[in-house]
Amino acid sequence: MRAVFSPEQTLRHMLAFEAALALAEARTGVIPQAAAEVIARCCRVELLDSQRLTNDAVEAGNMAIPLVKQLTGNVREAATQAAGYLHWGATSQDAIDSGMALQLREALALMQRGVASLSAEVAALTEKHRSTLLAGRTLLQHAVPITFGLKAAGWLDALVRQQQRLRELKPRVLVLQFGGAAGTLASLGDRGLAVAAALAEELKLGLPAISFHTHRDRIVETAAWCGLLTGLLGKMACDLSLAMQTEVGEALEGAAEGRGGSSTMPHKRNPVAAAAVLAAAIRVPGLLSTLFAGMVQEHERGLGGWQAEWETVPEIFILTARALERMTALVAGLEVHPERMRANLDWTQGLVMAEAATMALGEKLGLGSAHRLVADASRRALAEHRSLQAVLAEDSEASKHLGPAELEALFDPLLHTGVAQQLIDRVLAEHRRVLAEHRRVLAEYRCAAAEPAQEKT
Amino acid sequence: MRAVFSPEQTLRHMLAFEAALALAEARTGVIPQAAAEVIARCCRVELLDSQRLTNDAVEAGNMAIPLVKQLTGNVREAATQAAGYLHWGATSQDAIDSGMALQLREALALMQRGVASLSAEVAALTEKHRSTLLAGRTLLQHAVPITFGLKAAGWLDALVRQQQRLRELKPRVLVLQFGGAAGTLASLGDRGLAVAAALAEELKLGLPAISFHTHRDRIVETAAWCGLLTGLLGKMACDLSLAMQTEVGEALEGAAEGRGGSSTMPHKRNPVAAAAVLAAAIRVPGLLSTLFAGMVQEHERGLGGWQAEWETVPEIFILTARALERMTALVAGLEVHPERMRANLDWTQGLVMAEAATMALGEKLGLGSAHRLVADASRRALAEHRSLQAVLAEDSEASKHLGPAELEALFDPLLHTGVAQQLIDRVLAEHRRVLAEHRRVLAEYRCAAAEPAQEKT
Amino acid sequence: MRAVFSPEQTLRHMLAFEAALALAEARTGVIPQAAAEVIARCCRVELLDSQRLTNDAVEAGNMAIPLVKQLTGNVREAATQAAGYLHWGATSQDAIDSGMALQLREALALMQRGVASLSAEVAALTEKHRSTLLAGRTLLQHAVPITFGLKAAGWLDALVRQQQRLRELKPRVLVLQFGGAAGTLASLGDRGLAVAAALAEELKLGLPAISFHTHRDRIVETAAWCGLLTGLLGKMACDLSLAMQTEVGEALEGAAEGRGGSSTMPHKRNPVAAAAVLAAAIRVPGLLSTLFAGMVQEHERGLGGWQAEWETVPEIFILTARALERMTALVAGLEVHPERMRANLDWTQGLVMAEAATMALGEKLGLGSAHRLVADASRRALAEHRSLQAVLAEDSEASKHLGPAELEALFDPLLHTGVAQQLIDRVLAEHRRVLAEHRRVLAEYRCAAAEPAQEKT
Amino acid sequence: MRAVFSPEQTLRHMLAFEAALALAEARTGVIPQAAAEVIARCCRVELLDSQRLTNDAVEAGNMAIPLVKQLTGNVREAATQAAGYLHWGATSQDAIDSGMALQLREALALMQRGVASLSAEVAALTEKHRSTLLAGRTLLQHAVPITFGLKAAGWLDALVRQQQRLRELKPRVLVLQFGGAAGTLASLGDRGLAVAAALAEELKLGLPAISFHTHRDRIVETAAWCGLLTGLLGKMACDLSLAMQTEVGEALEGAAEGRGGSSTMPHKRNPVAAAAVLAAAIRVPGLLSTLFAGMVQEHERGLGGWQAEWETVPEIFILTARALERMTALVAGLEVHPERMRANLDWTQGLVMAEAATMALGEKLGLGSAHRLVADASRRALAEHRSLQAVLAEDSEASKHLGPAELEALFDPLLHTGVAQQLIDRVLAEHRRVLAEHRRVLAEYRCAAAEPAQEKT
């Protein structure tokens, strides 16, 4: 992702815009075909002095102004008369925002593949541990038994939603920005709409009804999508790092040379990937608030809000992609310890089954009486450090209704995971449906993502 | 919107959940029909001591625990044996989150109507001022002419996108939360899925693949939608308040008794509605970052992140709705001063037409020479406080190519607004399409929004 | 704290400003003494129609405008000629901001007492558990032994810093706002400075060099102080809730009727106070970012940024105060389980002492060899589920240098808590120094905090 | 500032810590003097493979682990036996956080100089324009006359406060972090405190009562200081960019080659420096909320919160410093147009003096009658596009009390700027006092800031 948002790649996308603009204007008869071809040939990042661009951008106020200036120089050297046709009818923000749309197309394609990879890993984990018993925990306290697969299915279900959202926002977000100085395309006379349509076609971007220089909702909703994803990744990292605590020991990050170790403390395997993901989940919300706040932009071109996006959007994408990669590797290499999950479940000596016992006795005694009986027995079990099963077996009232075999079954947590298996099946089915969809999209991407400026030159 | 999120209405929605749960469980044979009917009858907010609920919720940790406790007391009084069937198989968060889904359904219906109203006002403004000339401004400087209708069309286009997003997220967001203590529905044995389906049907909520107690993306994306909307409203308020500056004077908030006045300064009409909208646009981003940050929740029930939502979500909705109302009233009552728009456009004595002059001379002289000629003329005009048209009329080179009539036409800004009219038409067409859609949805809402618990009792 | 920021109290503070202004202007000969006395007598919240104020404030744009209007009516009824002298030379924001300063004085006094109370509880905990062994944990993994008192001393040290910061910011923040329409006090002629000085004296507020209507740093730094405090409270809640996990069991929130319980799960004592504190720690950062963002205010009176403060500042104070109270109660009632702390420390069978063993052997073997020896032994201990002490006792090389008694001492964690006791002493000494200071301040507060307007009437 | 936070400089500060630690331990007899000298000699950034460090840090979880590893290799080559004494008794975070303290010392020294430079420019502007008339504007509407110097004095006053805050926080923030694995300094036996004291002395950092690995308030308050500063800079940029609007024209950014221009629109001078400052003011609040949120850190070493600081703190400092530089240059090169300020003040034809007229007539007619008279006259003036002065001159009642000369004086705004001159004097006096203080600090800095590790080697 860092490559997608590198300064060089940013320039390359702006050059793609300038090249496509020239070609579109030639096609629509606005500028000579020969000029367009010269311009397109000059739109190569290798021909620019990028250090000078960066310096000049400070005083110019944005990157497009010095880019067009340098490019004009280069085109003039190639063919004097062509130079006048460069950037014809466009404004700086047209180049920068359309470049950003191309960049987002690449970024979202990477994200989509990344989410698909993580989904595949999580789906495998779900399948593998669909019956691995685990204490369900609410407010960090044991509640009732679940399976590790059910927890993973919850993660997977959220990943499915992320993919659905991505499908929805892509056509809205990956669109051309083209309005000229203040959105009217005035310097193209009556050919403005034709050029816009041809340009969108060149760049394989959507064509919006109107330019949107100071309406940033498309950018912000895309970043918010990243925010939803880092939130999910943070939740997964939170669950896993809690499971990796010394006292809990239900999972470990896969061992690797130089990872999370300590020379003096050989028992230590630090959850460093989880820490990195959690750091991203702490950072992205603040960055997002910047983008939402920056939406309040002045008239036809913003004074501060637009500029605030330039480093913030890449930062959000890079943090999210990095967290996604770390989490995918973490899940792929995760050491799961089912025996510790089981031992922890048994840690409270059956209290985690109190709800089940209440329901079973309730059918015989009525719920109210069953309740009081089990609550008393639980308190006794806690006080005497004995199992709830043992206490109930000795209880004269309880043992009247529940024989040893029934009690034994009652305290088998595997029999008390409700509809966990069916829920897992539903989520896996959803996942497979989305996966099939993703394969189609991936195929499309292979066709579409090739960099237009490069194709032409 | 304040009513939708009032403490009373919050309780009402939780009661609707409890009533519907009992009825769904009766339908699926889990509890006796008679018990369900008693429960449903008791699920009335008037029967609760809401002050005690609020107090007890502090120690209990959430509102559902004391609610179920009070409700149990009430049901027991009505029919002792029914009390044991209340809240059967559900967890606190099931009631709270499903209540929230019902609340969001109301809130989003209000939002949808609010956005439709604002869109109608903005569309009318767009139509009315489609040819009203205005200086396009970039970085707060005059750039080239636009029309006020084009600016309004930009706002309208963004409102159209908001409506599209709302359509997408509603089916994903308005869903049942029902998982029991840790998501397995264990205490319902093998009837968990049947109850869930019946319950979703009762509440007319969607049925998700799996419960999502610690996956908050649905809530957060809905709040982010509000954030996109306040961002847009803030942008509109920004544009309008800049237009209302004493020196600019292109618009005023409609006069009203007691609004924005000052007893000693009769010339003052403060943009108080704009200020209120801008305040909302400043506040919502920070509140949103809270929700994104709160997504990192522990295991099967969150410790802090979930609780952080309870006041933040209503606050976001209330702020957004209030801003939406203020902006709708502002636009509806807006005093527009086309003559000041025109006067401001002429303020720089034709410099705003420099681009047009360059293009016209470029066809005769070549672009490079035209450029230099106009730039020189512009500098002279600025220095001598004369109009660019006058300077060009006297310029020997320019006057060779442009006669007085041509010059006159060249400096008519109305002839240089490019494709503004077509762009406006495209946006209005979009708007009409969405409006038709909205009417359908509104009709649906009239059927669906009636409060389910009330229907039954 | 909710009372300090109640609508009624907010009005009371604004009335205190208006009363003090009249009296100060009488003292400096600007208005007649008799008029001032009438005005001061009318400045009572009971005489206002607060519902109408709230309604009128919407259109007026702030609360001071309708307040002055109602008040003028009331004064006119009391003495016609006095009405003209009300609010003389002041602007709305003078009343609102000076009222806020009075409010902050009350709020900070409460905060100071609250922090002092929590400090006292934490100091007691530090003393009591200064030698209670506990596993030091880094990245949620056991590291080396500490004492619970040392952890508490870390909290206490941070509380000391908070008190130091509060001392620094109070004189800067608790100052008069008084500048008239645009900061010049023009309508007071040459008596502006004299009135300002007398007014500051009346209100016992500091007198700033110049009014600061659109410079909000004082407000924001005060809110940031709250943010630092909730951050600390959140850190404490985080530590404690991790200690309260079922598997860790080192602490519990004190039991209370209706607190954090569950009817079906008697073993469950939910950390509900910790959850509430964590929720506050998640919410305050976003609210703070609103205030920082709102600092960008226009010219002599802000358009949005100022208005964004009105609900955000109270919200931050109320959340912080609520979290402070919950944490104070939590610490005061905390159940600590030293035996579980010790058992958890022993959980890894001596691996937590690996560092100590390495240092001891290092003196005999050289560090490098000692390192390798202990690392090998640790791996063996882990693999064979034996204690590191036992493995080293059998190791031919280790046992050459360390006899059984030496080994026994080496594996006594109490002997390996370094300078924990001295560090605790240093922090307690700091605390006592600040406590003495606080007592002085408390005495001052008793004199100063009485509400000025009330005093006069 | 970018240099202060460069990866290389970050390493240099960590090396300074390691060198000083060795020397301090030699002085206190913990390690051999010879070993310390070898270590100190090896602590040079040039001897490290920084690319490998960056790569290894990903898996290790922080930068200190691979740094110590490489450094150990280098020391071993220089003198085998010295290698075992490196990083003796310290933990990774000790090196990273103490390095950060050294970095903050450099950063704050730069900030202090930057704020002093800006203050000097603003003070000069204040002096120069102390009597330059300007419309005071509230909610973007003309209110009453002020002077441009008074506005600048408001900025200066806030800069004075920033310097005061900096003085307060420096001793609290620029302190040593040194606690070993979990804060006890256990591996230094009873010499922990002596080493800590010697180390603080070596690094010329303060010595805190206790280590504070998971208490981040020092870092966060420093960043919040930056936030207050960017808020102020944003406010200045806001004021100036509003003044630079085409219709207002009261100021322009100084012209420079390639700055803010447009080839086709010669009248355009974009406020690009203001835009850059505003972008920073939009970005810093979100980044700050990250740091406040990150304060909730686990036990003795954080999992996510600490890591979230590493890029966020530098980003805040770099953004703030960049904004400070841009604003300083902007103010230094500012083109002020007093004639436009005056023309704008006269724009409403004397309405801006309505308050003054009311006061003058009030002395004769009583305030109530004066009020009504002036309000009527103002409405007439507005309706008839005439000056308020002319309308009052013709008014039979008004002209009875105010002769032509009196009226003339009344409508001279310069006579109605209240105590602006005295307020300016007060602020300038404050500024001079702080400036003198700053010169002392600067002198100190010249002594202290030299990089310790470099000194020794």
Side-chain angles (χ1 to χ4, degrees), chain C residues 38-60:
Chain C
V38 174
I39 290 170
R41 262 200 307 279
C42 290
C43 284
R44 298 169 53 88
V45 76
E46 297 74 17
L47 307 174
L48 297 171
D49 174 348
S50 66
Q51 188 53 54
R52 190 152 56 87
L53 281 180
T54 305
N55 293 343
D56 292 354
V58 172
E59 289 295 352

Side-chain angles (χ1 to χ4, degrees), chain B residues 93-356:
Chain B
Q93 192 167 359
D94 290 339
I96 294 172
D97 281 358
S98 292
M100 166 81 89
L102 296 172
Q103 211 160 21
L104 291 180
R105 185 167 66 195
E106 285 186 7
L108 291 179
L110 284 183
M111 283 290 183
Q112 189 154 10
R113 279 189 286 181
V115 170
S117 297
L118 177 56
S119 299
E121 295 295 347
V122 173
L125 201 70
T126 304
E127 289 273 24
K128 183 169 177 192
H129 292 286
R130 59 182 309 150
S131 303
T132 304
L133 282 168
L134 180 74
R137 293 169 175 103
T138 58
L139 290 98
L140 298 184
Q141 310 297 305
H142 283 195
V144 298
I146 63 170
T147 73
F148 186 47
L150 184 70
K151 181 188 285 268
W155 304 338
L156 186 58
D157 186 52
L159 286 166
V160 165
R161 281 194 293 283
Q162 276 305 101
Q163 291 167 295
Q164 181 187 7
R165 287 183 190 106
L166 191 51
R167 258 197 320 281
E168 291 168 2
L169 68 80
K170 275 169 72 175
R172 184 163 51 235
V173 161
L174 302 180
V175 297
L176 179 70
Q177 179 72 285
F178 188 55
T184 60
L185 292 171
S187 54
L188 292 171
D190 53 6
R191 285 164 300 182
L193 296 185
V195 171
L199 178 52
E201 210 179 290
E202 284 285 334
L203 294 170
K204 298 193 175 67
L205 288 173
L207 180 66
I210 188 171
S211 69
F212 53 96
H213 295 122
T214 42
H215 288 280
R216 314 305 294 172
D217 51 286
R218 289 172 163 103
I219 303 288
V220 182
E221 75 169 317
T222 310
W225 181 87
C226 291
L228 291 175
L229 182 55
T230 49
L232 167 60
L233 298 171
K235 189 266 183 288
M236 293 174 67
C238 175
D239 285 357
L240 288 169
S241 61
L242 289 170
M244 290 173 190
Q245 291 173 97
T246 304
E247 289 89 352
V248 179
E250 298 177 349
L252 278 178
E253 292 198 3
E257 181 60 27
R259 176 184 299 155
S262 163
S263 52
T264 52
M265 299 182 282
H267 59 296
K268 218 158 179 289
R269 189 123 41 101
N270 283 327
V272 291
V277 172
L278 285 166
I282 290 170
R283 290 177 61 189
V284 169
L287 293 167
L288 264 179
S289 71
T290 297
L291 293 184
F292 278 98
M295 289 181 72
V296 179
Q297 296 191 7
E298 296 80 6
H299 292 316
E300 279 62 63
R301 189 86 73 257
L303 189 80
W306 181 41
Q307 293 79 1
E309 291 174 10
W310 296 342
E311 297 183 344
T312 306
V313 169
E315 204 168 346
I316 289 173
F317 268 91
I318 290 167
L319 279 172
T320 303
R322 205 196 281 170
L324 183 57
E325 275 167 45
R326 294 300 296 260
M327 182 50 70
T328 305
L330 198 171
V331 173
L334 191 70
E335 279 185 26
V336 179
H337 295 271
E339 76 292 354
R340 283 295 297 275
M341 291 179 175
R342 182 60 207 241
N344 288 333
L345 187 60
D346 294 338
W347 178 256
T348 57
Q349 303 198 76
L351 290 181
V352 83
M353 305 309 299
E355 192 193 43

Side-chain angles (χ1 to χ4, degrees), chain D residues 19-272:
Chain D
L21 175 61
L23 295 168
E25 292 180 333
R27 264 169 63 195
T28 49
V30 174
I31 69 169
Q33 179 66 29
E37 283 168 16
V38 173
I39 290 170
R41 262 201 307 280
C42 289
C43 284
R44 297 168 55 87
V45 77
E46 297 75 16
L47 306 175
L48 296 172
D49 175 346
S50 67
Q51 188 52 54
R52 191 151 56 86
L53 281 180
T54 305
N55 294 343
D56 291 355
V58 173
E59 289 294 352
N62 69 53
M63 189 58 99
I65 293 173
L67 174 74
V68 169
K69 202 171 153 194
Q70 274 198 29
L71 199 51
T72 301
N74 293 349
V75 173
R76 186 174 297 125
E77 276 180 39
T80 317
Q81 72 288 9
Y85 296 112
L86 179 72
H87 194 64
W88 183 275
T91 189
S92 303
Q93 192 167 0
D94 290 339
I96 294 172
D97 280 358
S98 293
M100 166 82 87
L102 296 172
Q103 210 159 22
L104 290 180
R105 185 167 66 196
E106 285 187 8
L108 291 179
L110 284 182
M111 283 291 182
Q112 191 154 8
R113 280 188 285 181
V115 170
S117 298
L118 177 56
S119 299
E121 295 294 347
V122 173
L125 200 70
T126 303
E127 289 273 25
K128 183 168 177 193
H129 292 286
R130 60 184 306 150
S131 302
T132 304
L133 282 167
L134 180 73
R137 292 167 176 105
T138 59
L139 290 97
L140 297 184
Q141 309 298 304
H142 283 196
V144 298
I146 61 170
T147 71
F148 186 46
L150 185 70
K151 182 188 284 271
W155 304 338
L156 185 58
D157 186 52
L159 286 166
V160 165
R161 281 195 293 284
Q162 276 305 102
Q163 291 167 295
Q164 182 187 7
R165 285 183 191 108
L166 191 51
R167 258 197 320 281
E168 289 168 3
L169 70 80
K170 275 169 72 175
R172 185 163 50 236
V173 161
L174 301 180
V175 298
L176 179 70
Q177 178 73 283
F178 187 54
T184 60
L185 292 171
S187 54
L188 292 172
D190 53 7
R191 284 164 300 183
L193 297 185
V195 171
L199 178 52
E201 210 180 289
E202 285 283 334
L203 293 171
K204 299 192 176 64
L205 288 173
L207 179 66
I210 189 174
S211 68
F212 52 97
H213 296 121
T214 43
H215 288 280
R216 314 306 294 172
D217 51 285
R218 290 173 162 102
I219 303 288
V220 181
E221 75 168 319
T222 311
W225 181 88
C226 290
L228 292 175
L229 182 54
T230 49
L232 167 60
L233 298 172
K235 190 266 182 286
M236 294 174 66
C238 174
D239 285 356
L240 289 169
S241 62
L242 289 170
M244 289 173 190
Q245 292 173 98
T246 304
E247 289 89 351
V248 179
E250 298 176 349
L252 278 179
E253 293 198 3
E257 180 60 26
R259 175 185 300 157
S262 162
S263 51
T264 52
M265 298 182 283
H267 60 297
K268 219 159 179 292
R269 190 126 38 103
N270 283 326
V272 290

Side-chain angles (χ1 to χ4, degrees), chain C residues 181-382:
Chain C
T184 60
L185 292 171
S187 54
L188 292 171
D190 53 6
R191 284 165 299 183
L193 297 185
V195 172
L199 179 51
E201 210 179 290
E202 284 284 334
L203 294 170
K204 298 192 175 67
L205 288 173
L207 179 66
I210 189 171
S211 69
F212 53 96
H213 295 121
T214 42
H215 288 279
R216 314 306 293 173
D217 50 286
R218 290 172 163 103
I219 303 289
V220 182
E221 75 169 317
T222 310
W225 181 87
C226 290
L228 292 174
L229 182 55
T230 48
L232 167 60
L233 297 172
K235 189 267 183 286
M236 292 174 68
C238 174
D239 285 357
L240 288 169
S241 62
L242 289 170
M244 289 173 190
Q245 291 172 98
T246 304
E247 288 88 352
V248 178
E250 298 177 348
L252 277 179
E253 292 198 4
E257 180 59 29
R259 175 184 300 154
S262 163
S263 52
T264 52
M265 300 182 281
H267 59 295
K268 218 157 180 289
R269 190 124 38 102
N270 283 327
V272 290
V277 172
L278 286 166
I282 290 170
R283 291 176 61 189
V284 169
L287 293 168
L288 264 179
S289 72
T290 297
L291 293 185
F292 278 99
M295 290 181 72
V296 180
Q297 297 191 7
E298 295 80 6
H299 292 316
E300 280 60 65
R301 191 86 73 258
L303 190 82
W306 181 42
Q307 294 78 1
E309 291 174 10
W310 297 342
E311 297 183 344
T312 306
V313 170
E315 204 168 348
I316 289 173
F317 268 91
I318 290 166
L319 279 172
T320 303
R322 204 196 283 170
L324 184 57
E325 275 168 45
R326 293 302 296 260
M327 182 50 70
T328 305
L330 198 171
V331 172
L334 190 71
E335 280 184 25
V336 179
H337 295 271
E339 78 291 352
R340 284 295 298 275
M341 291 179 176
R342 180 63 206 239
N344 287 333
L345 187 60
D346 294 339
W347 178 257
T348 57
Q349 304 199 74
L351 289 181
V352 84
M353 305 310 298
E355 193 193 41
T358 304
M359 304 303 283
L361 283 165
E363 290 178 26
K364 317 287 168 71
L365 296 171
L367 255 185
S369 307
H371 235 287
R372 277 185 298 278
L373 193 160
V374 176
D376 281 351
S378 295
R379 270 187 290 274
R380 248 179 299 145
L382 264 178

Side-chain angles (χ1 to χ4, degrees), chain A residues 211-234:
Chain A
S211 69
F212 52 97
H213 295 121
T214 42
H215 288 280
R216 314 306 293 172
D217 50 285
R218 289 172 163 104
I219 303 288
V220 182
E221 74 169 319
T222 311
W225 182 88
C226 290
L228 292 175
L229 181 55
T230 49
L232 167 60
L233 298 171

